[in-house]
Amino acid sequence: LNKLVMYMYFSFLYPVVEVNFYINIERNLFKGWQIEHGKQYINQEEAEKRFQIFSKSLKTIKEFNNRVDRTWEMGLNEFSDRTFEEFASIRLMMPQNCSATKGNHVSLGFEPPAQINCLEKGNFVTAVKNQGSCGSCWTFSTTGCLESATAIHKEGNPLVSLSEQQLVDCAQAFNDHGCNGGLPSQAFEYIHYNKGLMTEADYPYQGVDGKCHFVASKASAFVKQIVNITKGNEDGIKEAVGLLNPVSIAFDVAKDFRHYKSGVYSSTLCGNKASEVNHAVLAVGYGYTSNGQDYWLVKNSWGPQWGINGYFKIERGSNMCGLADCASYPVIV
């Protein structure tokens, strides 16, 4: 009888000990993560709430990374203590309906290279920036594209960081909405008709909607023509990136994407309609993995700590998450 009682006692005790052991590990991991990302909370109640969300994120990441069919890896990052809804409210824009379904990109008549990385071609891409808590990704996609196009095609190859804040403050007449979203194609239209975009140094980023204070004499980059690539035409994007310059694209960010760490992202959770895009980015290259999986190399605007030093790879050839429905680039003056 005593042996039976002891067995029953330990059979109940061990699971509790095991659960507490893993909770302690998670709490220590959470503390280290807080230090790494400079996270501080207003009180213990908020800290506990964030730990519980962090714990769920950790579980999602572990379960996903244990899958044998995955092509990419999840990892902890600065968003791991936020729900997707909270994350979306500070990093994504309201869904934008792409109007450019039939493009004016004309084939150049040359075969683009099998793979390319504009980061390796020269000093043609500015450092990864951070949009902060403003749905202004479309401005970073726009400036990134114009920065690169100017550096590649303008005499002297000047790579200058351009002003996202000017677009946030000044482009409303072109159906762009500051921190609530917009589209690069419309931002290029604004720059064209406005006759220029100022530099980051002259019109620095604030990350909030503000009053327009564009100074024409300080305009640094100019757009002669806006080129839209026909909806769904990834071959057109490949030709433009491979033979001309990086291309602004937009896609639908689903809840799994915020955990992206490395590999070639693909998902069954995202939408693929032009009316569903909620994040604009910059395609700076393309290639294929050792096992033959095609991908786009994309510059994001969530800082260099996210993903692959601020970049990510996404499946190419299937219009993954609608990435080929809003592609555009400028012809510079």
Side-chain angles (χ1 to χ4, degrees):
L1 181 60
N2 288 339
K3 288 182 179 181
L4 178 61
V5 171
M6 291 290 287
Y7 172 78
M8 294 176 66
Y9 172 77
F10 282 109
S11 68
F12 282 108
L13 177 61
Y14 285 160
V16 173
V17 171
E18 185 177 3
V19 168
N20 287 336
F21 175 73
Y22 283 112
I23 289 177
N24 287 334
I25 289 178
E26 286 189 2
R27 287 196 180 276
N28 287 333
L29 188 63
F30 182 57
K31 289 178 182 178
W33 173 88
Q34 281 184 268
I35 294 171
E36 179 184 357
H37 295 282
K39 295 277 187 170
Q40 294 182 330
Y41 305 114
I42 57 174
N43 53 41
Q44 187 57 40
E45 182 181 358
E46 177 68 11
E48 182 62 25
K49 174 184 176 182
R50 295 302 159 192
F51 169 71
Q52 294 301 328
I53 297 172
F54 176 88
S55 181
K56 290 179 181 178
S57 295
L58 192 61
K59 181 181 179 182
T60 297
I61 292 167
K62 286 180 177 178
E63 289 178 351
F64 180 83
N65 287 346
N66 284 332
R67 288 173 47 178
V68 296
D69 62 334
R70 63 180 177 86
T71 60
W72 59 286
E73 182 181 9
M74 288 186 176
L76 294 171
N77 55 42
E78 66 172 294
F79 308 122
S80 298
D81 66 340
R82 294 289 185 265
T83 65
F84 178 70
E85 290 71 25
E86 290 173 324
F87 162 78
S89 70
I90 61 172
R91 291 289 170 147
L92 303 180
M93 57 186 180
M94 297 297 292
Q96 305 293 304
N97 193 351
C98 299
S99 56
T101 55
K102 185 175 182 180
N104 56 333
H105 169 79
V106 178
S107 177
L108 301 173
F110 300 96
E111 184 68 26
Q115 54 185 343
I116 194 170
N117 182 345
C118 292
L119 298 170
E120 299 173 351
K121 289 179 61 179
N123 189 30
F124 297 142
V125 182
T126 57
V128 171
K129 303 178 185 181
N130 195 331
Q131 69 188 71
S133 300
C134 170
S136 55
C137 55
W138 59 279
T139 70
F140 288 85
S141 175
T142 301
T143 58
C145 193
L146 185 53
E147 288 163 353
S148 292
T150 301
I152 291 171
H153 302 297
K154 190 172 183 178
E155 185 178 355
N157 305 118
L159 181 65
V160 179
S161 183
L162 298 173
S163 175
E164 293 82 24
Q165 193 64 43
Q166 181 185 331
L167 297 175
V168 170
D169 295 345
C170 307
Q172 285 78 5
F174 290 79
N175 200 30
D176 292 317
H177 311 287
C179 287
N180 287 321
L183 290 173
S185 58
Q186 294 160 181
F188 293 137
E189 291 278 355
Y190 158 76
I191 298 168
H192 170 71
Y193 287 103
N194 184 65
K195 301 189 186 308
L197 184 67
M198 293 167 64
T199 66
E200 191 88 60
D202 285 335
Y203 202 144
Y205 186 66
Q206 304 297 324
V208 293
D209 293 315
K211 184 178 179 180
C212 182
H213 53 272
F214 170 71
V215 179
S217 62
K218 292 187 176 181
S220 177
F222 306 89
V223 172
K224 179 180 180 181
Q225 181 186 357
I226 300 88
V227 181
N228 295 308
I229 298 173
T230 300
K231 176 182 175 183
N233 183 10
E234 289 191 70
D235 288 339
I237 301 175
K238 179 181 177 181
E239 185 178 60
V241 174
L243 298 174
L244 294 174
N245 46 252
V247 171
S248 289
I249 61 174
F251 70 111
D252 177 41
V253 170
K255 62 177 59 179
D256 57 353
F257 183 73
R258 67 193 166 112
H259 298 302
Y260 175 88
K261 180 181 179 181
S262 62
V264 180
Y265 176 79
S266 65
S267 178
T268 58
L269 301 179
C270 57
N272 61 355
K273 297 178 181 177
S275 61
E276 296 175 326
V277 298
N278 58 13
H279 190 49
V281 287
L282 184 67
V284 299
Y286 57 83
Y288 47 85
T289 63
S290 58
N291 62 359
Q293 185 180 18
D294 293 336
Y295 65 81
W296 294 106
L297 177 63
V298 185
K299 182 185 181 185
N300 203 355
S301 54
W302 296 343
Q305 288 187 313
W306 180 89
I308 309 170
N309 300 318
Y311 289 79
F312 66 95
K313 295 177 180 178
I314 186 170
E315 182 178 303
R316 177 166 58 96
S318 62
N319 195 19
M320 179 57 61
C321 302
L323 65 83
D325 291 342
C326 277
S328 58
Y329 63 90
V331 175
I332 67 161
V333 174

